[in-house]
Amino acid sequence: MMRIFRLTVLPGDGIGPEVMEAAVSVILKMGEHYGVEFELNTELIGGSSYEEYGVPVTDETLQACKESDAVLLGAIGGPQWDKLPHHKKPESALLKLRHALELYSNLRPAKVYASLVEASPLKEEVVAATDVMVVRELTGGIYFGSPRGSDENRGWNTLTYSRPEVERIARIAFELAGKRRNNVTSVHKANVLESSQFWKDVVHEVHRNYPHISLTDMYVDNAAMQLVKAPKQFDVMVTSNLFGDVLSDCAAMLTGSIGMLPSASLNKDGFGMYEPIHGSAPDIAGQDVANPLATILSVSMMLRYSLNQVALADKINAAVNTVLDQGYRTQDIAADGDTVVGTSKMGDLVVEALKD
Ligand code: NAD
């Protein structure tokens, strides 16, 4: 019997709907050609939800997400909503989704494509063939610790990690490394922070169950330097919420192309929300110039990590490579001699390459 996957699709604001349209065309093509069926349920999120319902995400949308097999999100936000109170801002929908869906692990791959190596701000010999996966703890650490607050003279936050929080994110990292190059770097600041020493110790305890994976400890300041100096040394980096926030953006910039980078946020059962790392890019919204490949590659991650359709995920990655090798580029990644195409054309080209 053919398996039907139920997806909640949240296009969002700005370029979100444009890049999502391209990604949906890829999903539909997968359904037509490869014996899987997708049932898509599209909902408003972010500013577009605020305009319609007065909140950035409704309870109905949260419920729809919970009842689906995976969630695909475009991007949210825009200057017209910047002055709203915090809980009404489009971006608050993301925190609410992560919290409601218990998405505690954030996977941020940064891969340098051979055909795009010139887009990197680093020298080719340093960055070529870089393929790093940053695993960031997403629902704990200093972003959520209490007490927190500020008064006239002080501001304060609290950094704590519990054993189960560290154990589960460490397991994710070791499992992922086992499907990649068997190498985990645990990033912390154990020389200064007690919570980091605890993190380090627990990761080592979990490591005993994964003897075939190599584990390296690295202080976060050194990790930032090493990412820029010798990024090829990294396979999987696992780290806390705050350090991961910073390092995943640093890793992203190695590729030089924000429009190419997907992400996944997973819960304990492998259910996940998938989205490009870029925002709603109001400066280019509505012009059919946004790069849809980050969202298309997010579909690939969804197939790999939540829907267990690894062969289909590989097909999407291969189709993206084919299109890039043919010299097609959206304007953000174009160099001299490339054929510049718009958002929807890029989507069509990937769909076309999938057929081959
Ligand atoms: P941004 O990622 O939207 O844009 C940064 C720059 O990258 C812009 O010049 C933009 O044109 C370019 N860019 C981004 N995505 C691109 C793509 N797919 N193709 C081509 N170029 C692309 O970041 P920003 O300008 O700081 O934020 C804009 C809005 O997005 C803000 O409201 C912000 O809060 C929101 N935001 C949302 C998310 C999210 O939805 N997860 C993430 C980051 C920012």
Side-chain angles (χ1 to χ4, degrees):
M1 201 177 72
M2 193 192 278
R3 170 82 205 267
I4 300 177
F5 293 113
R6 296 165 68 197
L7 309 179
T8 299
V9 177
L10 306 170
D13 310 317
I15 60 169
E18 299 169 53
V19 293
M20 188 59 82
E21 197 178 321
V24 165
S25 67
V26 169
I27 294 173
L28 296 179
K29 184 53 68 181
M30 288 263 128
E32 259 173 51
H33 272 252
Y34 296 110
V36 281
E37 201 171 315
F38 297 97
E39 201 178 279
L40 306 185
N41 171 32
T42 303
E43 303 282 353
L44 297 175
I45 190 93
S48 55
S49 171
Y50 174 77
E51 295 301 331
E52 182 75 18
Y53 305 118
V55 286
V57 57
T58 64
D59 290 343
E60 289 74 21
T61 298
L62 283 177
Q63 192 55 32
C65 291
K66 283 182 185 165
E67 286 167 10
S68 57
D69 293 307
V71 178
L72 194 60
L73 184 131
I76 57 186
Q80 62 271 53
W81 302 295
D82 277 351
K83 293 210 162 63
L84 288 173
H86 198 67
H87 66 287
K88 297 226 160 147
K89 276 198 176 39
E91 291 80 357
S92 69
L94 270 183
L95 290 182
K96 210 162 173 187
L97 276 168
R98 285 175 188 165
H99 191 255
L101 304 173
E102 296 174 59
L103 306 174
Y104 67 84
S105 75
N106 186 221
L107 277 45
R108 289 266 304 255
K111 183 175 155 72
V112 175
Y113 288 82
S115 50
L116 295 181
V117 73
E118 281 171 19
S120 172
L122 299 190
K123 289 189 202 117
E124 180 171 346
E125 61 267 30
V126 174
V127 85
T130 291
D131 181 1
V132 45
M133 174 76 84
V134 179
V135 177
R136 168 187 170 195
E137 200 288 325
L138 201 58
T139 53
I142 199 159
Y143 289 1
F144 293 92
S146 65
R148 59 192 297 156
S150 64
D151 61 25
E152 264 164 44
N153 302 312
R154 268 185 350 127
W156 60 95
N157 291 89
T158 303
L159 171 52
T160 66
Y161 267 112
S162 68
R163 178 173 291 279
E165 282 178 320
V166 183
E167 283 175 349
R168 64 187 186 178
I169 196 76
R171 276 197 293 271
I172 295 263
F174 289 121
E175 296 285 342
L176 265 175
K179 294 177 190 152
R180 291 170 51 97
R181 301 193 303 280
N182 297 321
N183 180 347
V184 169
T185 307
S186 171
V187 179
H188 48 68
K189 190 76 183 168
N191 49 343
V192 177
L193 300 172
E194 284 79 359
S195 58
S196 261
Q197 181 65 49
F198 178 77
W199 172 285
K200 177 182 173 186
D201 293 344
V202 175
V203 172
H204 276 268
E205 284 169 29
V206 175
H207 181 225
R208 289 192 201 121
N209 301 316
Y210 298 89
H212 55 296
I213 309 284
S214 78
L215 171 63
T216 310
D217 285 288
M218 197 175 279
Y219 297 136
V220 62
D221 39 354
N222 186 28
M225 283 198 289
Q226 294 297 329
L227 263 177
V228 177
K229 189 176 161 212
K232 268 179 268 196
Q233 72 184 284
F234 296 110
D235 177 14
V236 173
M237 300 176 95
V238 62
T239 191
S240 62
N241 204 342
L242 173 63
F243 296 160
D245 195 359
V246 179
L247 289 180
S248 59
D249 270 18
C250 179
M253 266 304 110
L254 298 175
T255 70
S257 33
I258 191 174
M260 294 290 301
L261 296 172
S263 76
S265 303
L266 304 177
N267 79 1
K268 67 176 177 17
D269 305 315
F271 169 87
M273 181 163 86
Y274 297 82
E275 56 182 315
I277 70 155
H278 61 72
S280 59
D283 52 332
I284 56 166
Q287 298 172 24
D288 191 40
V289 296
N291 188 342
L293 293 179
T295 314
I296 290 171
L297 291 166
S298 299
V299 172
S300 164
M301 287 190 88
M302 175 181 79
L303 289 162
R304 189 178 305 278
Y305 296 117
S306 284
L307 308 184
N308 208 17
Q309 300 290 321
V310 176
L312 298 192
D314 289 343
K315 280 189 196 303
I316 293 183
N317 291 3
V320 168
N321 274 324
T322 302
V323 171
L324 292 174
D325 288 346
Q326 288 166 346
Y328 293 109
R329 307 277 190 274
T330 43
Q331 68 176 25
D332 57 310
I333 50 172
D336 289 348
D338 292 331
T339 310
V340 178
V341 296
T343 312
S344 57
K345 177 71 180 169
M346 184 56 101
D348 293 346
L349 287 164
V350 175
V351 167
E352 205 46 45
L354 274 171
K355 274 197 260 174
D356 297 339

